[in-house]
Structures are given as structure tokens and as C-alpha cells.
Amino acid sequence: MSSIYDEKLVFKIDGIGCASCAMKIEERLIQLPQVNDADLNLMSNRLILILNKYNQNLESKIKEIVKEIEPNLDLSEPEFSNFKEYEYTIENISCVDCMNKIETGIKELSEVSKVNINFNTNKLRVKSKANPINDIKKIVDNIEDNAVIKEKAAVISEQQEVKGQTFLNKNKIRIFNLIFGSLLFLTAILYSNLTFLRDIGIYQETLSIFLYLATYILVGRNVLKKAVNNILNGFWFDEYFLMSIATIGAIIIGEYPEAVTVMLFYRIGELLQDKAVDNSRRSIKDLMDIKPDYVNILKDNQLKKVKPNQVSVGQIILVKPGEKVPLDGVITEGDSVLDTSSLTGESALKSVKKGDEIKSGVINKEGVLYIEVKSPYEDSTVAKILNLVERSAEKKAKTEKFITKFAKVYTPIIVILSILVTIVPVLIFNAPFEVWLYRSLIFLVISCPCALMISIPLGYFGGIGRSSKNGILVKGSNYLEELRKVKTIVFDKSGTLTEGKLKVLNIETANDYSQEEIIELAASVESFSNHPVARAIQEYYTGELITDKITGIEEIAGKGIKAKVNKQNIIIGNKKLFEKEDIPLENTDNIDNLIFIAIDGNYAGKIEVAEKIKESSFKLMQQLDGIKKIMLTGDNEEKAQIVAEQLNIDKYYFSMLPDEKVYILEEILEETKEGRVAYVGDGINDAPVLARADIGIAMGGLGTDAAIEASDLVIMNDNLEKIKTALDNSNLTNRIVWQNIILALTVKIAVLSLGTIGLASMWSAVFADVGVALLAVLNSTRIIKK
């Protein structure tokens, strides 16, 4: 095989300030035989490697060296200088083990740098210098000849959908063989038990064996064929090999009915299991059914339907009532109400009108809308969400990784035990060979960890799909698993706990002035200022401004504004301005939030202006039992204290710059002895802190690249209660995953134990293998249905 030469490999690193450590990392990396040069740039936070050769183990070696020298450093997924990403769909396959073998085979291709197969969506992604479709087809055919590999797109961004066959259509031959095999098996049983045939001298045994063997070959030939193919490809310990050896062993010792029954039950169970997996996948896809099928455009005064990826930026599209909005844009004509539940998980309808921005994936409920497209399909909200959810399976939970490693060790151990079960009693205790051979065959039947290999990834992907339906994007099953361990949540204040902009909360008057007089004067004068306080007062006032009567505007930086209105001297500002003007104040509690007004030197009243705390903030804080709550803010102590007291925040830090938040978060991480630390922010200014936390949660990140890039979870709207929903989804998912693990291992151990002492048959072993796998898959669907 040829090698990849002069390849540039780039990692983004999570901050490094030690030049000496950087030099040590470079020196160690250059010692690797595949690396020609290494440069760790402290300014750009990038590690650049020039390779003379690439293999799949190189990335893990690089990460080990970096972690050894600088344990706190995190490397991103590598970027290759001249690799493209290709995507394919694999149809007619529901076997996790087969997919793992396909992935292993593709990894050995010299032109391929990265491979990922998503079992839940049947998607295969490959990074390669050239399209490896022909090599991939050969690998797939060798491992699973019924599988069909289809090229989804030359480049992933084309986003073309490939629809598979129905479960019934793609399994017609399989179902026919099972029905015909079952009838043939019943015929063999009836024939061998017809006593009157023996009474009249007809010899039954040979014909009975022939019928049993015919049934066995009809039902099990695909299993035998796959076992042989896998052995030729170097894969020994898989379910096909084990099932073949077990049933052939039963035939050798004359247990023909048992051998056929085991193979028949195994194949029926396998079919039911595939059906359950198929249904689970479809249910998960239905949860995320936000992809538009077509776009309406006007062409030659006629309405035509085209694919979303055929529409250009700037084109006008039409969305009828009941249709999904296919692309992001701005409404140029029409008004309506939108069902945004598919994106945000909220059932409340949202009104829109001309000039409003609109996101793809929402459903138009009433009027016809004309929309000017602002971004191509591959950059639309829908495409980002679907891509993010599909790729979430690439970041596996620790439990998933453990089960994969466990399966590689578990199966060979069971095979060795089965050999010992046969040999030890016979050699040491002179026990009957056939009895203990039969018991060892039970070990072989039960040794495949299908229940674990299938149900666990389905469980986590179901949890991700459920979260997506709730308006929560989870970037990987690893984050879904870790979320349940969160014991401390750190919140940004502005835009997260509060609404992010100043609002008028209260108006109080003095010296016989009315609220109407004060707010009219304040709004009119403040209309000459761009200060956030001025904008808040202007937004609050709904009447007409009297700006034509205002003269002598004087804005005093950091204090307020002066003006003349109808020859009256108006002063609007904070305490400092009023102290300077020597105007006495009344009732100045929470003085930092108060704007005072004086008319002709007389105190006229005050306006309380502050950030409004979100209703969902109050609700969330009541639900976070047993979780420590901390707030970080750039505001002063007085403002921070007000919010912290109202929300029952356990601890708060104030007057903080963005970089100082990172230092404080690192201190919190070090001080936290139990559990994980999550950070909740708006996803833009808080990006460094989101990236540093154990779990980064971005609020209101719909369509925001910065939020998606920096965080591990994205809440699609500003509803903080979704954090509790995410915690609940994490707990539910992990509970069901561990139920499946305990169920599978308990039943397998029980049947193994009973089989060893002769109290379990091979039929029981089939249930412990395929039956438990089916139960585990059905249990995983509860995540979606619950």
C-alpha cells in the first residue's frame, strides 16, 4: 500500500502559556518516525505537524505525548491540509459487529485518515485524499454481502438524502426462508415421531436426518457463509462463527433437532431484533423530522418545487400555510404565526411580519410568506442542527467505549471457558464427553455481546434525539453521560439569568409631579443619547416625544444629561450628578439602579432601570436540588448581590473581565471534589469559559456559530428550564443504558451457570443471546417514547 507523504496535520489546543513545555512537546513529537517537523505556536494556539507517513495510531500517540508533558492541555480533532470528507449510506445492515469490522477494514486503506460509522443513522463518513468508494464497496461485500453502500454526496455539504427500502422489502427472501424452513422443520419432527411408520417397517432415521439437515442449511446457510468469509478476513470471534461452531457441534453429537431449533430461533430472533432496531432508528429520525423536502420558487410566473440545495442566496421563496420554512431568510411580504416547537421545543406560536428574520425548520401556520434567502442550505439552521445531531454519535460515552473494549475481551474468554468446560471434566473426572461438549456449546451460543453492542449506542442516540426534540442540542453521547454527574453550575448573568438589556421596572414621583409628566420629559430628553439607560427609557415610553421643545442639550459622561424643555431646566442622571448640582434626594435604596429627575432644581422623582431577571431563571433555581449555583458577572457588587439574593445563588463573583472568568472557573474546578462543573453563558463573549468547563451550555444559540463551536450543549432558546430538562434526559438515558447492561450480563451469567450444571439447554442460550438483545433494544426505545 502507498503512504501519504508531506501531509500537514493541524490541532487546535486549549491554551498553553509555557514556552518551555511547548519546546519539550515539539522535541518529543519530532522523535516520532512519521513526523518530519513540529511547531506549537503559542500565539495562534495551534500545533502543526508535517508528516512523512500517516497511520490511524498516530493521533493517539500525539495526544499521549502532549498530555504527558502538559496534562491540562486538550487537543481538538485534527485537520488535514488536503483531505476531503465523503459521506455514504449503508443499507440493509443492523449488525454492530459487522459495522465495526467494516470500519476496521476502511481504516487500513492508506489514503484514508479518518473513519466513522454511525450505527444509529447508517451513515459512514470518511476523510480521504480521493473518493474511496470502490475500496469501501469491496470491504463491505466481503463482510456483509447483503449490505448496500450508496454514495450520498461527493462532498458532504451537498446534503442529498438517500432513502432506503422498507424493512419488509429488503427482508423478503429472509422471511420466506424462515417460513419455509419452519414448515420443513415441523415436517421433520412429525415424520420422525410417526410410530406407525416403524410398525410397518419403514426406516425413518435417515430421512429424518436429511430433513433436519435440509432445514438447517436453508435457515443457516447465510450464517455459515458469513462465518467462513469473516475467518478468511481475519475475524474469528464473532456471532456467526460462534453460532456455526455451536450448531455444527450439536449435529456431530446427534442433537439434530436442537441444532436446527437453535439456528431457527437465532435467525427469527435476529429478524425481530433488526426490526426493533429499524423501528428505533425511525422513531429517532421522526423526532428530528425538520429537514425540508422542497422549496417553492416563482419561475416564469409559475410556482415550482426544487431541492433546498438548488436555491441561491438572494432568491425569493414562497412558504404556504402548513409548510416547513426550508431556508433561513427575511420576510419580504406577508405575516403569519409560526410553530417553532421542532427547533425550540416550545409549543407557543410565534407571530412574524414583514422585515422579521425567520429560521428554517419552523412551520408556517397561517398566511403565505415570501422570504428572501440569506444563507445557502448547507449553512442554514436545519442543516447545522441535523449535522450536529448526526455527528453526535462520533463522540462516544465512556460506557460505549468500555463495552466495545469489553466485547473484544469477553467473547474470547467465554470461548476459552467453553473449551475448558469440555476438557477438564473429561480428563480429570472421566466424565461423559458428549454431555460436557453439549454444555460447552451453550457457552458458545451465549458468548456474543449483541445486547450490549446494539442497545447502548441506540440508547444514547435516543437520548440525543429526545433532547433535540426538547430544543436541546447535545454534541455527543459523552456529554449526555457526563451531564448527570453535574454538581456545580456556574452562570453568566447578563443575557443568561437576566434578559440582557436594561428595562424600566418602576417609576416613583415626588413634589406633586405625575408619572406621565416624568416619563414624557425623561424619554424626550434621553432621545438625544445612545446610552443603554436612555434606550431603556425610550423603549418604555409609548407616547409622542416633545423633542421640538428641547434646547441646550448637555450630556455629562458617566453621570447623566441636562436640557431645557419649555424654558424649564431638566436634569436626569445618577446620584453623582445630583450631588454635584446640590439637589437633595429621597429614598435612595438600590441607588445603582436609579435614575433621578429634577425640574428647575426641584427633585421630581426617580426611575428604576435594571436588567430584568428571566422568569425561567426563578423556576430553574427552584428545581436544582443538590446542585451548587454560582454566578459570574462583570457588573459591580451591588447589582450582582441583588440578582444573587433574588435567585438564591450560593456564591457570586463581580466586576469580572472575560479573561478573569476563566481563572475563576479554573479555581472552581480545582475546588470541586465531587461531580462535574457546568458553565452556562450566551455563547459569544463567554466562549473561553464555555470551552474550559466540564460541560459548556450555550443559551439562545440558535444559528450562532460561536455558541455551537464553544459549547457542549446548546439550548435553542432563552428558556433556562431546559437545563433541568437536559439533566432529566441525561438521567433517564443513563438509567436505561445501565438497565440494559445489567439485564444482559445477569441473564447471560445465569444461563452460563445453569448450563454448566446441566440445567439449561441451547434454547435457553439462544434466548440469553438474541432474546435479551431484543428486550434491550425495546427498552432503549423507552427513551424516545417516555
Side-chain angles (χ1 to χ4, degrees):
M1 293 189 297
S2 59
S3 298
I4 298 171
Y5 293 100
D6 299 325
E7 179 63 39
K8 184 189 287 184
L9 190 64
V10 181
F11 294 88
K12 291 180 181 177
I13 57 175
D14 184 20
I16 179 171
C18 173
S20 175
C21 296
M23 289 178 63
K24 289 177 185 175
I25 291 171
E26 290 173 354
E27 289 172 1
R28 287 284 304 280
L29 290 175
I30 291 172
Q31 292 173 11
L32 293 173
Q34 302 97 327
V35 178
N36 282 344
D37 193 18
D39 175 43
L40 204 168
N41 192 311
L42 298 179
M43 299 303 293
S44 64
N45 280 351
R46 295 204 311 167
L47 171 61
I48 302 172
L49 303 172
I50 305 299
L51 309 181
N52 57 58
K53 186 179 180 182
Y54 177 84
N55 60 46
Q56 290 290 320
N57 296 323
L58 182 60
E59 291 172 33
S60 59
K61 288 180 182 177
I62 292 168
K63 290 179 179 179
E64 282 175 15
I65 290 171
V66 171
K67 285 285 187 183
E68 185 180 329
I69 297 171
E70 191 61 72
N72 294 325
L73 271 187
D74 289 319
L75 296 182
S76 67
E77 289 297 311
E79 300 171 2
F80 295 84
S81 60
N82 58 353
F83 276 59
K84 291 181 181 178
E85 187 170 52
Y86 300 89
E87 183 175 326
Y88 315 93
T89 299
I90 304 180
E91 295 182 357
N92 302 345
I93 185 168
S94 298
C95 169
V96 178
D97 192 39
C98 298
M99 285 195 171
N100 288 338
K101 289 170 186 169
I102 292 170
E103 190 173 57
T104 301
I106 297 171
K107 282 180 179 178
E108 293 177 359
L109 297 175
S110 61
E111 295 293 301
V112 170
S113 69
K114 188 176 181 182
V115 184
N116 180 266
I117 296 182
N118 188 327
F119 170 76
N120 306 291
T121 59
N122 281 3
K123 297 289 176 62
L124 164 64
R125 286 190 175 92
V126 173
K127 280 191 176 180
S128 178
K129 282 191 171 183
N131 191 341
I133 180 66
N134 293 328
D135 291 327
I136 291 174
K137 283 181 178 178
K138 290 178 184 176
I139 292 168
V140 171
D141 288 342
N142 284 335
I143 294 170
E144 181 58 75
D145 54 2
N146 290 328
V148 178
I149 182 83
K150 291 187 178 181
E151 193 170 356
K152 182 177 179 183
V155 181
I156 191 172
S157 61
E158 291 185 20
Q159 302 285 343
Q160 295 172 342
E161 186 177 3
V162 177
K163 296 185 183 294
Q165 295 176 290
T166 64
F167 181 82
L168 183 62
N169 285 337
K170 68 185 181 183
N171 286 284
K172 278 182 179 177
I173 296 175
R174 193 174 171 191
I175 293 170
F176 173 79
N177 284 343
L178 287 174
I179 293 172
F180 187 73
S182 299
L183 294 174
L184 193 60
F185 181 51
L186 289 173
T187 302
I189 293 173
L190 288 171
Y191 182 78
S192 62
N193 286 282
L194 292 175
T195 56
F196 78 90
L197 292 175
R198 283 196 297 272
D199 294 339
I200 62 176
I202 295 177
Y203 188 66
Q204 292 176 278
E205 186 175 354
T206 302
L207 191 53
S208 295
I209 292 172
F210 173 79
L211 288 173
Y212 282 128
L213 291 178
T215 307
Y216 177 81
I217 292 170
L218 177 66
V219 173
R221 70 180 188 278
N222 282 338
V223 174
L224 299 171
K225 181 182 175 182
K226 287 177 182 178
V228 173
N229 283 340
N230 289 340
I231 290 170
L232 294 175
N233 285 287
F235 302 111
W236 283 80
F237 297 112
D238 65 7
E239 60 185 323
Y240 303 114
F241 171 77
L242 298 170
M243 195 61 61
S244 299
I245 294 296
T247 51
I248 290 170
I251 289 171
I252 290 171
I253 61 175
E255 295 287 348
Y256 299 105
E258 190 124 345
V260 176
T261 305
V262 166
M263 186 63 80
L264 184 61
F265 282 7
Y266 170 74
R267 296 291 280 161
I268 292 172
E270 191 181 44
L271 184 69
L272 294 172
Q273 177 182 294
D274 290 352
K275 176 65 175 172
V277 170
D278 213 43
N279 289 340
S280 297
R281 285 171 171 163
R282 193 177 300 113
S283 297
I284 293 168
K285 287 177 182 177
D286 289 345
L287 283 179
M288 299 174 291
D289 184 22
I290 60 174
K291 185 173 183 178
D293 298 316
Y294 60 86
V295 179
N296 298 315
I297 62 169
L298 285 171
K299 192 172 184 179
D300 300 327
N301 294 322
Q302 288 186 335
L303 199 62
K304 293 190 175 182
K305 292 181 179 181
V306 299
K307 292 181 179 179
N309 60 350
Q310 295 176 338
V311 179
S312 303
V313 174
Q315 278 189 274
I316 302 297
I317 63 174
L318 182 147
V319 182
K320 300 175 186 177
E323 292 183 332
K324 294 174 188 170
V325 175
L327 297 162
D328 296 351
V330 173
I331 299 172
T332 59
E333 188 178 338
D335 56 71
S336 182
V337 292
L338 305 176
D339 178 357
T340 64
S341 60
S342 57
L343 295 187
T344 64
E346 300 292 338
S347 57
L349 299 177
K350 177 184 177 182
S351 298
V352 289
K353 61 185 184 304
K354 181 179 178 179
D356 287 346
E357 287 189 1
I358 192 167
K359 300 292 184 184
S360 55
V362 300
I363 298 173
N364 180 22
K365 299 297 287 184
E366 291 185 1
V368 174
L369 295 175
Y370 292 83
I371 300 169
E372 181 183 352
V373 177
K374 290 299 182 182
S375 59
Y377 176 75
E378 58 265 26
D379 294 329
S380 68
T381 301
V382 160
K384 288 176 183 176
I385 292 170
L386 291 175
N387 189 45
L388 183 63
V389 173
E390 282 188 1
R391 287 177 177 272
S392 64
E394 296 176 13
K395 296 178 180 178
K396 298 183 185 298
K398 289 179 182 178
T399 307
E400 282 185 90
K401 293 178 180 178
F402 169 75
I403 290 299
T404 303
K405 293 177 182 178
F406 172 77
K408 291 178 180 178
V409 177
Y410 162 82
T411 306
I413 288 174
I414 295 295
V415 173
I416 293 168
L417 287 176
S418 71
I419 295 170
L420 293 175
V421 166
T422 305
I423 294 173
V424 173
V426 173
L427 294 181
I428 297 178
F429 302 106
N430 199 28
F433 173 75
E434 287 188 3
V435 171
W436 287 95
L437 175 61
Y438 178 82
R439 293 180 184 181
S440 71
L441 296 179
I442 293 173
F443 275 63
L444 294 178
V445 173
I446 203 173
S447 60
C448 183
C450 293
L452 303 176
M453 297 289 286
I454 294 174
S455 64
I456 290 173
L458 263 182
Y460 279 116
F461 198 66
I464 289 169
R466 177 188 175 91
S467 298
S468 177
K469 187 65 176 176
N470 295 144
I472 305 159
L473 296 183
V474 185
K475 292 177 71 172
S477 54
N478 54 334
Y479 304 121
L480 193 64
E481 181 181 50
E482 292 296 295
L483 195 60
R484 68 190 172 94
K485 302 175 186 176
V486 168
K487 296 298 180 184
T488 302
I489 301 182
V490 183
F491 296 90
D492 169 52
K493 182 178 78 69
S494 299
T496 302
L497 294 173
T498 65
E499 292 184 354
K501 62 180 183 178
L502 296 175
K503 288 192 173 184
V504 173
L505 303 182
N506 188 36
I507 301 172
E508 291 185 13
T509 61
N511 297 324
D512 297 327
Y513 290 101
S514 68
Q515 285 192 0
E516 290 76 14
E517 287 179 281
I518 287 178
I519 194 63
E520 181 187 47
L521 284 172
S524 299
V525 173
E526 294 285 13
S527 67
F528 292 89
S529 172
N530 287 320
H531 193 276
V533 170
R535 288 199 296 270
I537 293 172
Q538 291 170 57
E539 287 177 8
Y540 180 82
Y541 180 62
T542 57
E544 291 187 11
L545 300 175
I546 51 173
T547 52
D548 57 329
K549 300 177 181 179
I550 298 175
T551 58
I553 296 291
E554 181 186 357
E555 190 163 5
I556 304 156
K559 294 181 180 178
I561 191 169
K562 293 181 180 181
K564 281 193 174 183
V565 181
N566 286 334
K567 297 183 180 180
Q568 288 181 310
N569 292 314
I570 307 298
I571 298 175
I572 304 173
N574 57 24
K575 182 182 178 183
K576 292 179 182 177
L577 180 59
F578 274 65
E579 286 176 346
K580 180 183 175 183
E581 298 293 330
D582 198 25
I583 300 174
L585 300 173
E586 300 175 6
N587 301 325
T588 55
D589 295 336
N590 300 334
I591 197 153
D592 203 53
N593 294 333
L594 299 178
I595 301 301
F596 303 99
I597 301 175
I599 302 173
D600 288 332
N602 297 316
Y603 174 64
K606 60 186 177 183
I607 301 174
E608 185 181 357
V609 179
E611 286 184 295
K612 186 178 180 182
I613 299 174
K614 296 175 184 176
E615 288 298 321
S616 60
S617 297
F618 290 105
K619 293 177 181 177
L620 175 68
M621 297 307 164
Q622 294 170 0
Q623 297 169 357
L624 294 180
D625 296 328
I627 294 178
K628 186 176 182 181
K629 302 174 284 290
I630 300 174
M631 183 180 74
L632 307 183
T633 179
D635 281 342
N636 60 37
E637 183 177 9
E638 191 170 1
K639 288 183 179 179
Q641 185 179 1
I642 292 169
V643 174
E645 287 178 352
Q646 290 186 52
L647 292 176
N648 292 319
I649 298 287
D650 297 307
K651 192 174 183 179
Y652 62 90
Y653 297 83
F654 56 90
S655 301
M656 303 191 67
L657 298 174
D659 59 328
E660 292 175 329
K661 290 184 178 181
V662 177
Y663 300 136
I664 293 297
L665 182 68
E666 287 179 342
E667 287 182 8
I668 294 169
L669 287 165
E670 288 179 9
E671 292 169 1
T672 304
K673 304 300 181 185
E674 290 185 10
R676 300 288 184 263
V677 176
Y679 181 84
V680 187
D682 61 22
I684 299 173
N685 296 329
D686 293 311
V689 209
L690 285 166
R692 183 66 188 89
D694 292 329
I695 303 287
I697 304 174
M699 295 297 302
L702 186 58
T704 306
D705 289 335
I708 294 175
E709 182 68 28
S711 60
D712 307 313
L713 273 75
V714 181
I715 307 296
M716 301 283 281
N717 58 14
D718 287 329
N719 186 353
L720 273 167
E721 285 187 279
K722 297 287 186 181
I723 293 173
K724 182 61 168 61
T725 303
L727 293 170
D728 290 342
N729 286 347
S730 173
N731 286 323
L732 173 66
T733 302
N734 282 280
R735 187 163 63 247
I736 289 177
V737 164
W738 277 100
Q739 284 173 1
N740 288 339
I741 292 172
I742 293 167
L743 170 69
L745 294 180
T746 301
V747 173
K748 284 180 181 290
I749 291 169
V751 175
L752 284 173
S753 303
L754 293 172
T756 306
I757 59 177
L759 295 179
S761 66
M762 287 178 68
W763 300 357
S764 306
V766 171
F767 170 75
D769 178 28
V770 182
V772 171
L774 180 60
L775 290 175
V777 170
L778 293 174
N779 190 41
S780 295
T781 62
R782 291 199 303 121
I783 299 171
I784 307 162
K785 306 290 184 186
K786 192 172 176 62

